[in-house]
Amino acid sequence: MSHQELLSPEGFRYDGRRCNEQRNFNLELNTHPHAADGSAICSMGNTKVLSLLRGPTDSNDSGLSLSVSIIQPPYAKSDRVQVSKNDRRFAELSLMVQRTLLQSIVQKAYPRTNINIKLTILSADGSILAACVNSATAALVDAGIALYDTVTAITVGIHDISPLIDCNAIEEIDLPYLTIGTISNSKINLLLMESKTPLDKLQKMINLGTEGCIQIRNQLDIAIRKSAIKH
Amino acid sequence: MTTTAAVGGKRKRVSSGLYVSQKVYVKSRNGNATKIVREHYLRSDIPCCSRICENCNDFYKPGPNGQIPNPILSESPLDLKSLNIGKHYILVDTNIVLNAIDILENDKVLYDVIIPQTVLNEVRNQSYPIYLRLRTLTKNEDKRFVVFYNEFNGETYIPRKHGEIINDYNDRLIRETAKYYNNHLSEYNIKTILLTSDKANKELAQRENILSFTLNEYIDLLPNSIELKDMLPSTENFDKSINEIKYSEYYSSARLMGGIKNGSLYQGNITISSYNFLEGNVNVNNLPKPLLILGRENLNRAFNGDQVVVELLPKNKWKKPSSQIIDEETINKNELGDNDEDEVLISDKERRLLTQEAIKEQGKDNDDENKIMPTGRVVGIIKRSWRLYVGQLSPNSINKDTDLISNAPRNVFVILMDKSLPKIRIRTRRANDLIGKRIVVAIDSWNSNSKFPSGHFVRTLGEIEDKDAEQEALLLEHDVEYRPFSKNVLSCLPKEGHDWKVPENLDNGDIQLKKRRDLRDRLICSIDPPGCVDIDDALHARKLPNGNYEVGVHIADVTHFVKAGTPLDQEGASRGTSVYLVDKRIDMLPMLLGTDLCSLKPYVDRFAFSVLWEMDEDANIINVEYFKSIIKSREAFAYEEAQIRIDDEKKQDDLTKGMRILLKLSKKLKRQRLANGALNLASPEVKVHTDSETSDPNEVEIKKLLDTNSLVEEFMLCANISVARKIYDSFPQVAMLRRHGEPPATNFELLNDMLRLKKGLSISTESSKSLADSLDRCIDSNDPYFNTLIRIMATRCMLAAEYFASGNFSYAEFKHYGLAVDIYTHFTSPIRRYCDIVAHRQLAAAIDYEPLHEIHMDKSKMDLVVKNINKRHRNAQFAGRASIEYYVGQVMKNNQSDQEGYIIKVFSNGIVVLVPKYGVESLIKLEVLGDVNSSSFDESNYSLTFVDKSGNKRTVSVFDKVNVSIESVLDDFTGKRKVQLYLK
């Protein structure tokens, strides 16, 4: 019973947001112009992901090989745990990010090419996968890789009957949630849910999630334009 | 886990009206400091919830349930002329809510109250039950309570200062809210008063120009202050004057936790003996038998039902459970609430009684060492079971000559209805008004220097022995929710009301309707007690062409109307069961459903959930089907009517023939069941007849059993078992089932010993079959009732049956001992039991009728449901029994008589006699029996020898048949009318 009330009857979440309000979103492109060919930092609330992209470079494989790796340094969370390099969860996450991005890259323009994305979770407070996808997309744009479209992602949790957008870590522990990623015409190309929820609530969550993705896309657009003007 | 510091950071604008700041906590666990950063969003769109304020109109946004909230605080709140306060709202601080929730709930005072979020969170952390009550208040629009999210409002949030302790910070937040409201509503001339019980906070508030009072001061300002003052929680009033006793202080929580961990202390729930209020039992996990707690000092302020921590006493203090009857009446009869002088004397008397016992114990040490039980001492209380209690003023605690004249507040005692609880000291100005009334009190505290807990008055129910007051008292005592259903709940009912009908066109596109089977051609009838309006079940049977029988049990389809997760469902789940009192029924579901739409009334179409068997001539089940259906009952019989119709040879219509088939099969089912070892137990239950016009009770009757009773019962058992198998099959983890554990052999030791000594009989407890057989053998050829008596006593040695979710036990433990079946559930009375509703939903999901709602799929949620309905079921039983007891007392008022009774328990200072005719059981104390000093108690023979009033020496022992005269007396100590027996 000592659990926090995640959504009050008056409609406020634990941190003061309403159901459909995202956390403070911030995206910056070309943060490391010397260290990488494309770089970006995406922060959603207290979650912050840095992505560094190297490429396109030559490779011996016939098609495009996109490699994504995610690392989480010990300082990302308050309890300072070392995440091993072969952590299965992060391996899975990187596979998910890789597959999501691969669909939007114009692959035929990159035969025998290598693109390498390194994602570093600078601080973790929920919605890690969504932040990774957003950050990696921005890095692709920054590096000038040809894309059909950009992918943006966000999480949606469900509290009783109310879907909550952009969950933080506390909400992710207690609620079933999904991560959804869409391209511009609201086509879903990432949908991940690891907890159980009744089928009839899923549609509600997806609806709110696609709306959230559109908002993030707008902010991504603004960030891209800003960085384009700077250079 | 302790939060040592939280420091707010800078604000950063996110969008218009939304800022974010960081809250940084430093948390230390095991000495390691960890820094935690959390986001905290501040907004400018939090409404003040006042109807008069126009600035906040745009801020009302739909909540989680999709409804847009309305401003609630009145535009013309209470206007106090005195002290120039004028119109005002009230803002409360945490301590007020925690200590005076009763007065907040009172409908005479305290309207238009603002609860800051800070207070709400603090209350939630300190006491979840009070938090729930506060939440109920905020939903109740009449009381006009609102929650103001001050920590999310940019104007009222202030970051915590470095090194500021959390209480000071919270007080500062609350004061900030008061300032905000005063500012915000200044143009409308409405002030906001801060109520606080903290002097320092009040001073600071006044320095900041906030009107601030303590609750006492505020109530004093009101016109009706006198009657309200009693309801205030007692504070320091008592402490200084009282020094009656010194209880040992509880251990610190660190020591308790450590002790439990390393095994030197034990934790458990305490049960106080109903015969002796100075004796308690704690069931401890690591010990085979409950630990005995003897005496006031060792009980150390524990209440019946508290979760306590105990330590073992040294071996030389181990004792036997007392063989005496001790209640407060005898020991503390003459205490005045204010008077401490008698105290010494009385404590002495009490001590003497205990020493007497102790000496006796030691004398017997060598004879029967095996009966010595380990004893313990309460050293800490984890969780109090305090709730509202019903009682009456102790007439002895008021000095009639002086007290009744003056109007000054004084201390009086309240004696609770529950005899295993101590009396409660309250402070009141209205003692003379309250004498002879049933009153509700709440307990505030129990200090170590006070012999009794102190509490405060909540409200009166009415005169003692007034029927309504007694009934309400009874419901409150057993924690039965009896208030009418709320608007919210009633809005879930079908809009057509009583005009709701089964759709005529069954092919109207409703997929679920299409799945129903039309059984309107079957000759279905229902058989119930006379006057029954909530008809749960109906039956039919017919012969099939292949020589077998088709037997159908049709249960009201309640879940068609009560959908999971709706307020209606939540209300049903929290009530858990309907409660049947002698002349009143407290429904689990609203009347419209229970007695009309769901009830399988005759001559109309109704939705039902059917179980259809094919049975052969020997009542073996060949095949079973489950489906939702539409039925039309042909007739609603009472048991007796049905019996007459079946017995009437002349009736040869199909309906009667069907009923004869049912009767024939039910007898075979019963035989099978008994052969498997089902127990035939007995309880001394009676039925009270009430006069139809005055509804005064006038007759008591033992419940009669007809063949048709067992006809219905057999098929219901059969349906329950079939359904249990089906839902367990589909939902092995969460199926709602009912089990009845095998009673431990030790439960029967005493009964067996008595039987062996007195009658040369024994009962075997190896299996339910052998128990059933040995019970059959317990016959006294001279006394036909003896067998029933043994059955009644054996029933009391059993464990209680309980509901459970199937994942919590292994299949072998599902067994229902009393019915001798491997799996069982309740399916057949969804109108009056919540278990059945869950079983219906699970069965509907198992047959693909509709998907199962998640709350019945989640094991932890099912555990909560199960825990609640077990509790409610028990309470409902107790309430029903208490109601019968009350009415039997009323009947006896006019019918004094002599009856035969049986002695079922012998103590060293009294005996317990059961009178079968009225189903009453009562204690006869030694004082009533005869001379106290001449008695001798032979424990090994369960007999008591004494010199009776006429000077003859007499010996009575257990199982003796005695003549008693029955009288109804009003116990002026507890105000309860009860049956008193006198030995002839």
Side-chain angles (χ1 to χ4, degrees):
Chain A
M1 288 301 160
S2 66
H3 267 290
Q4 299 98 349
E5 189 171 50
L6 291 177
L7 182 66
S8 75
E10 286 80 10
F12 291 111
R13 290 156 74 171
Y14 186 67
D15 56 5
R17 290 180 288 154
R18 288 184 189 275
C19 297
N20 55 359
E21 286 172 343
Q22 289 174 17
R23 288 182 287 175
N24 182 18
F25 183 87
N26 199 18
L27 185 67
E28 214 178 313
L29 274 73
N30 204 17
T31 49
H32 296 65
H34 305 299
D37 297 319
S39 57
I41 290 182
C42 169
S43 67
M44 300 167 82
N46 279 339
T47 301
K48 199 172 215 176
V49 177
L50 162 72
S51 64
L52 298 174
L53 183 146
R54 272 169 199 276
T57 51
D58 286 345
S59 122
N60 295 330
D61 298 346
S62 58
L64 166 70
S65 89
L66 175 70
S67 69
V68 177
S69 65
I70 301 181
I71 52 169
Q72 178 177 305
Y75 54 78
K77 281 184 162 178
S78 57
D79 44 359
R80 290 191 83 87
V81 232
Q82 186 82 45
V83 180
S84 96
K85 258 191 182 159
N86 309 321
D87 188 276
R88 270 196 51 187
R89 204 182 134 63
F90 284 103
E92 220 171 275
L93 278 183
S94 41
L95 194 63
M96 216 97 63
V97 177
Q98 187 223 11
R99 286 186 184 159
T100 309
L101 296 177
L102 213 46
Q103 289 175 52
S104 55
I105 298 177
V106 184
Q107 289 190 42
K108 63 181 177 207
Y110 301 99
R112 285 192 290 284
T113 310
N114 220 340
I115 298 176
N116 192 337
I117 304 180
K118 226 177 195 169
L119 296 165
T120 312
I121 300 168
L122 299 174
S123 87
D125 184 22
S127 305
I128 289 174
L129 177 57
C132 286
V133 170
N134 294 336
S135 176
T137 305
L140 283 172
V141 173
D142 186 40
I145 308 284
L147 300 175
Y148 293 113
D149 203 345
T150 49
V151 196
T152 50
I154 199 154
T155 53
V156 184
I158 185 126
H159 182 275
D160 201 15
I161 54 163
S162 323
L164 308 180
I165 203 157
D166 199 2
C167 302
N168 61 25
I170 301 174
E171 289 167 335
E172 277 188 358
I173 291 169
D174 281 355
L175 303 179
Y177 71 97
L178 56 77
T179 306
I180 183 170
T182 67
I183 51 174
S184 60
N185 55 358
S186 291
K187 256 193 187 157
I188 297 171
N189 68 355
L190 165 68
L191 187 62
L192 171 74
M193 180 150 190
E194 290 167 304
S195 34
K196 266 203 264 184
T197 199
L199 205 57
D200 50 329
K201 290 182 183 172
L202 189 63
Q203 194 57 50
K204 249 194 202 170
M205 295 166 76
I206 291 176
N207 290 348
L208 186 66
T210 36
E211 260 172 56
C213 289
I214 293 170
Q215 281 182 29
I216 295 212
R217 173 179 322 286
N218 295 340
Q219 273 157 323
L220 176 69
D221 276 357
I222 295 167
I224 293 170
R225 276 167 221 283
K226 225 200 237 160
S227 104
I229 292 164
K230 229 191 310 186
H231 301 287
Chain B
M1 188 166 83
T2 45
T3 315
T4 48
V7 181
K10 278 179 238 137
R11 292 180 185 191
K12 186 178 152 199
R13 187 171 157 147
V14 176
S15 63
S16 72
L18 198 62
Y19 290 80
V20 64
S21 79
Q22 307 286 339
K23 266 187 167 179
V24 182
Y25 300 93
V26 180
K27 198 166 77 171
S28 80
R29 189 188 277 158
N30 316 333
N32 302 330
T34 315
K35 184 171 130 188
I36 292 177
V37 184
R38 277 189 194 144
E39 279 184 307
H40 186 81
Y41 289 84
L42 298 171
R43 33 200 331 137
S44 58
D45 64 345
I46 292 178
C48 66
C49 292
S50 170
R51 279 192 208 142
I52 206 165
C53 172
E54 285 161 9
N55 300 332
C56 294
N57 280 350
D58 300 337
F59 300 159
Y60 296 99
K61 292 185 183 154
N65 53 5
Q67 282 167 354
I68 297 173
N70 297 316
I72 289 169
L73 294 171
S74 151
E75 52 270 75
S76 54
L78 186 66
D79 194 348
L80 276 179
K81 301 279 185 293
S82 59
L83 288 175
N84 289 329
I85 293 174
K87 290 198 238 173
H88 64 277
Y89 295 144
I90 297 160
L91 189 86
V92 292
D93 89 346
T94 316
N95 288 330
I96 299 270
V97 178
L98 287 174
N99 297 331
I101 183 79
D102 298 320
I103 200 161
L104 289 174
E105 282 171 345
N106 190 292
D107 55 8
K108 289 199 186 96
V109 69
L110 296 172
Y111 285 83
D112 300 306
V113 176
I114 301 158
I115 314 278
Q117 174 192 15
T118 314
V119 171
L120 196 72
N121 287 343
E122 263 191 292
V123 170
R124 193 184 154 97
N125 289 337
Q126 305 233 355
S127 162
Y128 195 70
I130 291 183
Y131 168 77
L132 288 181
R133 285 164 76 180
L134 190 61
R135 267 289 175 206
T136 319
L137 273 174
T138 61
K139 278 185 213 144
N140 176 351
E141 298 204 348
D142 300 333
K143 279 290 276 178
R144 305 194 293 273
F145 274 53
V146 296
V147 178
F148 179 73
Y149 280 80
N150 63 319
E151 289 178 40
F152 294 154
N153 190 330
E155 288 180 59
T156 51
Y157 175 71
I158 35 175
R160 187 165 166 185
K161 287 181 196 158
H162 200 82
E164 190 178 24
I165 55 173
I166 187 80
N167 285 344
D168 289 349
Y169 173 56
N170 284 339
D171 286 346
R172 207 151 60 89
L173 280 168
I174 295 168
R175 288 200 302 275
E176 200 64 30
T177 309
K179 265 195 254 171
Y180 168 81
Y181 261 94
N182 275 325
N183 254 332
H184 186 73
L185 298 172
S186 58
E187 56 177 306
Y188 308 107
N189 228 340
I190 293 177
K191 289 177 182 156
T192 301
I193 293 179
L194 173 66
L195 290 188
T196 174
S197 47
D198 179 353
K199 284 207 181 90
N201 191 16
K202 194 182 133 192
E203 263 168 38
L204 283 169
Q206 277 162 345
R207 217 174 292 160
E208 290 168 23
N209 282 329
I210 305 164
L211 276 173
S212 171
F213 299 103
T214 65
L215 192 54
N216 273 312
E217 289 167 344
Y218 179 73
I219 299 277
D220 269 338
L221 298 173
L222 301 175
N224 52 348
S225 64
I226 292 193
E227 81 180 290
L228 294 170
K229 283 217 95 161
D230 286 351
M231 279 183 265
L232 294 179
S234 61
T235 44
E236 67 279 21
N237 290 346
F238 296 133
D239 302 352
K240 50 188 183 299
S241 62
I242 296 165
N243 215 345
E244 308 157 338
I245 198 164
K246 191 73 193 159
Y247 287 110
S248 42
E249 293 290 342
Y250 295 136
Y251 290 172
S252 69
S253 64
R255 186 164 169 199
L256 292 178
M257 289 306 142
I260 292 169
K261 231 176 202 170
N262 68 23
S264 64
L265 300 176
Y266 305 101
Q267 183 183 344
N269 283 327
I270 191 162
T271 345
I272 307 283
S273 155
S274 49
Y275 289 113
N276 180 349
F277 83 110
L278 290 179
E279 177 183 321
N281 273 319
V282 180
N283 263 320
V284 173
N285 281 343
N286 346 19
L287 299 177
K289 273 190 176 175
L291 195 62
L292 199 65
I293 316 281
L294 286 175
R296 217 187 268 284
E297 275 80 14
N298 290 336
L299 282 173
N300 200 359
R301 295 170 276 162
F303 253 60
N304 195 10
D306 284 353
Q307 201 173 25
V308 296
V309 178
V310 291
E311 68 177 8
L312 274 172
L313 288 174
K315 201 167 180 182
N316 56 6
K317 289 191 182 161
W318 290 11
K319 285 185 191 167
K320 289 195 299 182
S322 154
S323 53
Q324 280 207 344
I325 308 146
I326 303 179
D327 50 33
E328 262 199 281
E329 199 174 346
T330 38
I331 294 180
N332 300 315
K333 199 154 197 165
N334 301 314
E335 265 174 278
L336 286 178
D338 269 331
N339 196 343
D340 294 341
E341 284 163 33
D342 296 345
E343 208 70 42
V344 187
L345 204 153
I346 282 145
S347 308
D348 270 356
K349 190 172 164 191
E350 180 186 314
R351 210 163 294 139
R352 271 205 305 276
L353 261 171
L354 281 173
T355 2
Q356 232 175 32
E357 280 246 303
I359 293 165
K360 244 190 229 169
E361 301 305 336
Q362 281 168 355
K364 280 178 190 158
D365 255 10
N366 305 329
D367 305 339
D368 41 14
E369 201 160 39
N370 56 339
K371 282 196 179 162
I372 299 276
M373 290 196 8
T375 57
R377 185 169 80 90
V378 174
V379 293
I381 292 191
I382 306 244
K383 204 174 156 204
R384 283 287 190 188
S385 59
W386 287 350
R387 53 182 170 91
L388 292 182
Y389 292 99
V390 184
Q392 63 142 357
L393 286 200
S394 160
N396 301 325
S397 72
I398 296 160
N399 191 335
K400 291 211 170 59
D401 307 324
T402 58
D403 284 4
L404 292 186
I405 305 160
S406 83
N407 223 356
R410 61 186 161 270
N411 295 345
V412 288
F413 282 122
V414 175
I415 293 151
L416 302 183
M417 305 247 299
D418 188 343
K419 279 211 159 183
S420 56
L421 300 177
K423 43 191 179 183
I424 293 170
R425 194 194 307 265
I426 65 166
R427 193 172 174 80
T428 177
R429 290 162 187 276
R430 298 194 301 150
N432 25 353
D433 295 346
L434 298 179
I435 280 190
K437 296 249 173 71
R438 280 259 169 266
I439 59 172
V440 182
V441 292
I443 303 177
D444 301 318
S445 62
W446 196 346
N447 293 332
S448 59
N449 61 349
S450 157
K451 193 164 176 188
F452 300 104
S454 41
H456 64 269
F457 166 80
V458 178
R459 65 194 168 104
T460 38
L461 298 174
E463 299 284 328
I464 286 176
E465 281 218 82
D466 173 64
K467 210 172 64 185
D468 294 333
E470 293 293 338
Q471 206 160 58
E472 202 177 339
L474 203 143
L475 293 172
L476 268 174
E477 258 318 274
H478 294 97
D479 199 13
V480 175
E481 175 63 74
Y482 58 93
R483 282 174 297 190
F485 290 94
S486 69
K487 251 189 261 168
N488 223 345
V489 170
L490 293 175
S491 65
C492 302
L493 298 174
K495 290 184 184 52
E496 300 89 339
H498 288 282
D499 298 328
W500 178 90
K501 280 199 179 64
V502 170
E504 279 174 23
N505 179 9
L506 295 186
D507 204 12
N508 61 0
D510 185 344
I511 313 160
Q512 293 193 339
L513 189 63
K514 226 175 164 179
K515 289 185 195 164
R516 281 184 191 270
R517 232 188 269 181
D518 190 349
L519 291 185
R520 279 175 288 193
D521 59 328
R522 304 292 204 280
L523 296 173
I524 294 168
C525 66
S526 60
I527 309 176
D528 287 286
C532 180
V533 280
D534 46 352
I535 304 174
D536 283 307
D537 48 74
L539 300 132
H540 87 272
R542 62 172 191 175
K543 198 155 180 128
L544 291 172
N546 64 3
N548 288 341
Y549 298 102
E550 174 193 282
V551 181
V553 164
H554 314 277
I555 307 297
D557 190 6
V558 175
T559 52
H560 176 78
F561 299 98
V562 184
K563 295 286 181 223
T566 58
L568 178 61
D569 181 53
Q570 283 159 5
E571 183 70 25
S574 86
R575 294 192 178 211
T577 172
S578 292
V579 181
Y580 291 83
L581 304 183
V582 169
D583 59 349
K584 197 174 176 177
R585 192 184 66 230
I586 315 294
D587 289 314
M588 180 179 84
L589 297 173
M591 283 275 269
L592 174 67
L593 291 183
T595 60
D596 191 3
L597 303 191
C598 292
S599 177
L600 300 177
K601 297 199 293 188
Y603 328 124
V604 285
D605 293 351
R606 284 284 177 255
F607 282 158
F609 208 142
S610 300
V611 180
L612 207 65
W613 297 284
E614 188 181 336
M615 286 189 179
D616 66 10
E617 195 62 44
D618 296 320
N620 294 316
I621 296 169
I622 311 279
N623 191 13
V624 54
E625 270 186 289
Y626 314 88
F627 51 85
K628 294 226 176 183
S629 60
I630 304 170
I631 63 158
K632 183 175 183 177
S633 170
R634 296 300 193 271
E635 197 63 66
F637 294 110
Y639 287 125
E640 221 160 345
E641 263 178 275
Q643 188 70 49
I644 293 167
R645 179 136 179 183
I646 291 171
D647 294 343
D648 187 353
E649 297 280 321
K650 275 174 266 167
K651 296 260 185 190
Q652 284 301 335
D653 54 304
D654 285 343
L655 180 59
T656 321
K657 276 185 189 160
M659 287 160 68
R660 289 199 188 113
I661 297 174
L662 287 172
L663 187 64
K664 184 176 74 183
L665 292 173
S666 77
K667 285 184 174 162
K668 284 174 181 158
L669 282 171
K670 185 166 188 181
R671 209 170 311 138
Q672 280 172 16
R673 203 161 57 83
L674 291 178
N676 286 334
L679 296 177
N680 192 359
L681 296 169
S683 63
E685 260 179 58
V686 292
K687 192 173 161 50
V688 180
H689 285 278
T690 50
D691 192 300
S692 53
E693 291 197 347
T694 61
S695 79
D696 281 338
N698 52 16
E699 207 184 319
V700 180
E701 175 189 63
I702 296 176
K703 280 184 183 164
K704 263 195 284 187
L705 287 177
L706 296 165
D707 272 354
T708 40
N709 285 55
S710 82
L711 182 161
V712 176
E713 195 191 331
E714 288 308 323
F715 285 109
M716 294 308 135
L717 289 177
C718 214
N720 286 337
I721 297 166
S722 294
V723 170
R725 287 194 209 290
K726 179 77 183 174
I727 57 176
Y728 175 58
D729 223 31
S730 306
F731 304 101
Q733 282 301 305
V734 293
M736 175 67 115
L737 301 175
R738 187 169 173 82
R739 66 189 282 269
H740 184 200
E742 187 168 341
T746 48
N747 282 14
F748 287 95
E749 269 172 14
L750 187 69
L751 177 64
N752 233 339
D753 195 38
M754 294 197 284
L755 270 172
R756 185 176 49 80
L757 264 164
K758 291 289 155 196
K759 301 279 178 185
L761 296 166
S762 75
I763 45 179
S764 152
T765 52
E766 273 164 35
S767 67
S768 58
K769 172 81 177 138
S770 66
L771 179 61
D773 292 345
S774 59
L775 279 176
D776 287 340
R777 284 195 300 271
C778 285
I779 302 164
D780 185 339
S781 48
N782 303 324
D783 187 357
Y785 186 73
F786 180 70
N787 186 260
T788 316
L789 183 72
I790 298 301
R791 284 182 199 276
I792 291 171
M793 292 174 75
T795 309
R796 294 184 184 171
C797 303
M798 299 282 181
L799 300 176
E802 60 176 359
Y803 298 109
F804 69 103
S806 53
N808 288 346
F809 289 93
S810 69
Y811 185 79
E813 291 169 300
F814 288 4
K815 201 165 154 24
H816 195 293
Y817 184 78
L819 296 171
V821 288
D822 55 342
I823 187 168
Y824 192 68
T825 189
H826 270 164
F827 171 75
T828 53
S829 303
I831 296 178
R832 59 189 178 86
R833 286 190 305 233
Y834 191 73
C835 165
D836 304 53
I837 291 187
V838 180
H840 272 233
R841 291 197 184 124
Q842 291 180 335
L843 183 63
I847 60 170
D848 291 330
Y849 177 79
E850 61 187 353
L852 187 59
H853 192 271
E854 64 188 301
I855 55 171
H856 301 316
M857 261 193 291
D858 184 333
K859 204 158 151 260
S860 57
K861 280 179 184 150
M862 279 296 284
D863 287 344
L864 289 179
V865 171
V866 162
K867 205 173 146 202
N868 183 52
I869 60 177
N870 274 326
K871 186 176 114 196
R872 297 290 164 187
H873 181 79
R874 216 165 31 239
N875 284 351
Q877 277 183 330
F878 289 149
R881 270 182 226 156
S883 164
I884 290 178
E885 193 184 320
Y886 167 73
Y887 275 97
V888 169
Q890 294 294 315
V891 174
M892 290 303 145
K893 207 152 76 171
N894 312 323
N895 315 344
Q896 264 188 35
S897 65
D898 293 352
Q899 290 293 339
E900 275 179 359
Y902 293 86
I903 297 176
I904 57 171
K905 244 186 192 148
V906 180
F907 293 97
S908 65
N909 61 349
I911 54 175
V912 179
V913 175
L914 172 82
V915 180
K917 170 106 193 267
Y918 297 116
V920 294
E921 182 182 325
S922 161
L923 182 75
I924 311 181
K925 284 191 203 154
L926 199 52
E927 295 99 279
V928 183
L929 289 169
D931 184 14
V932 181
N933 299 322
S934 68
S935 74
S936 74
F937 173 52
D938 182 357
E939 192 160 10
S940 53
N941 267 320
Y942 305 101
S943 63
L944 184 67
T945 311
F946 58 93
V947 178
D948 69 10
K949 292 264 149 81
S950 49
N952 303 323
K953 197 163 184 176
R954 210 174 151 174
T955 303
V956 289
S957 64
V958 77
F959 297 137
D960 278 2
K961 191 169 169 182
V962 289
N963 279 319
V964 288
S965 78
I966 305 177
E967 255 177 56
S968 155
V969 288
L970 184 66
D971 184 341
D972 52 35
F973 194 70
T974 60
K976 255 186 188 173
R977 180 170 287 281
K978 57 177 190 185
V979 174
Q980 178 66 56
L981 306 177
Y982 298 98
L983 211 55
K984 283 265 161 179

